[in-house]
Amino acid sequence: MKVIAGLGNPGQKYKDTRHNVGFAVLDKLVDNLGLSWKEGKKSLIAESRAEGEKIFLIKPMTYMNLSGEALRPLMTFYNVEVENLMVVYDDLDLEPGSLRLRLKGGHGGHNGIKSIINQLGAKEFKRVRIGIGRPAEGDSVTSHVLGTFAPGDKKAVEETVHLSAKAAEAWFTKPFNEVMNQYNRKN
C-alpha cells in the first residue's frame, strides 16, 4: 500500500497560491486517473490501484502547518510504512519550475513537512519538491508563499505540476530511484 500526499491550505482563498502547488499536483493526478475526491477524516482522499496494490491520494484539510495530523491516522489505520509515503510540496529554495525528488530528508524549515515528521516520528518518506522561489527583498516569507505566481513563472510552474503528477503516477509501478532519475529537473 502507498500513500501520496499533496500539501496545501484548504479553501478558495488559497487555491492558486504558491503554497498550494502540492494540492495542484494531486488534483492533476486525480483528473489524469479519472478519480474523484471523497471526504475523509481531516482530509480529502481518492483511491487507486496499480499491480494489485492500493494507493491512497490525500490532501490534508488541516492547513499546511498541521498536515501531519491528517496523515498520521490514515498511515496508522492502514499500517502503511513511512517508506511508502510520498509528499508533494512547495520549496522556497528551488526556482519556480524546478522539480526535485528525494528519498528522504529533513524539514528544511517547511512547517508542513515538520508537522509530518513530528506526527510520524520519522523522516524516511519520499519527497517531490516544487520550486516556488524566494521572496523579493523586503517581502515576508508568509506573504510570498500565500501569494500567487508571477505571470512569468506561471507557465513553468504549470509544466512542473503536470510533470510532478506524472512522476507520482510513475511511482505506482516503478522504483523511486528510477522515478527520480527520470523526473528531476532544474530551472
Side-chain angles (χ1 to χ4, degrees), residues 159-185:
E159 288 172 5
T160 304
V161 164
H162 178 75
L163 204 58
S164 300
K166 284 180 163 266
E169 187 176 356
W171 186 55
F172 284 19
T173 57
K174 293 180 181 178
F176 192 72
N177 281 335
E178 197 175 309
V179 176
M180 276 194 322
N181 290 335
Q182 183 176 355
Y183 289 95
N184 267 331
R185 136 182 157 172

Side-chain angles (χ1 to χ4, degrees), residues 38 43 58 70 76 148:
K38 294 175 178 63
S43 60
I58 181 170
T76 302
T148 58

Side-chain angles (χ1 to χ4, degrees), residues 61-95:
M61 293 286 115
T62 53
Y63 289 93
M64 179 67 78
N65 295 353
L66 302 174
S67 297
E69 291 181 12
L71 279 173
R72 185 179 43 78
L74 180 111
M75 300 280 292
T76 302
F77 184 81
Y78 288 102
N79 199 26
V80 179
E81 299 292 326
V82 74
E83 297 83 13
N84 291 325
L85 168 65
M86 172 190 280
V87 181
V88 184
Y89 62 100
D90 60 291
D91 193 316
L92 287 165
D93 292 326
L94 299 174
E95 289 302 311

Side-chain angles (χ1 to χ4, degrees), residues 79-167:
N79 199 26
V80 179
E81 299 292 326
V82 74
E83 297 83 13
N84 291 325
L85 168 65
M86 172 190 280
V87 181
V88 184
Y89 62 100
D90 60 291
D91 193 316
L92 287 165
D93 292 326
L94 299 174
E95 289 302 311
S98 294
L99 175 60
R100 181 86 38 85
L101 287 76
R102 294 185 61 194
L103 280 168
K104 59 185 176 181
H107 58 73
H110 194 287
N111 289 328
I113 298 299
K114 192 182 297 184
S115 171
I116 292 169
I117 291 170
N118 289 339
Q119 288 288 322
L120 299 182
K123 53 186 173 184
E124 290 77 22
F125 51 88
K126 279 102 178 121
R127 288 103 189 291
V128 176
R129 299 165 38 214
I130 299 167
I132 63 167
R134 286 245 161 230
E137 194 169 323
D139 287 350
S140 75
V141 169
T142 301
S143 64
H144 180 71
V145 299
L146 296 180
T148 58
F149 287 99
D153 294 335
K154 237 180 172 152
K155 186 173 188 230
V157 172
E158 286 171 3
E159 288 172 5
T160 304
V161 164
H162 178 75
L163 204 58
S164 300
K166 284 180 163 266

Side-chain angles (χ1 to χ4, degrees), residues 7-76:
L7 303 190
N9 287 312
Q12 195 60 33
K13 152 180 172 176
Y14 299 106
K15 186 177 184 312
D16 294 320
T17 64
R18 291 178 183 95
H19 228 12
N20 273 37
V21 295
F23 275 11
V25 170
L26 269 282
D27 286 337
K28 181 74 175 157
L29 182 56
V30 164
D31 285 348
N32 290 350
L33 297 171
L35 304 174
S36 57
W37 293 110
K38 294 175 178 63
E39 291 222 18
K41 203 173 204 172
K42 297 184 181 182
S43 60
L44 293 178
I45 298 172
E47 289 182 40
S48 187
R49 285 195 169 279
E51 298 180 348
E53 182 174 49
K54 187 179 272 196
I55 299 160
F56 286 104
L57 309 176
I58 181 170
K59 292 191 330 185
M61 293 286 115
T62 53
Y63 289 93
M64 179 67 78
N65 295 353
L66 302 174
S67 297
E69 291 181 12
L71 279 173
R72 185 179 43 78
L74 180 111
M75 300 280 292
T76 302

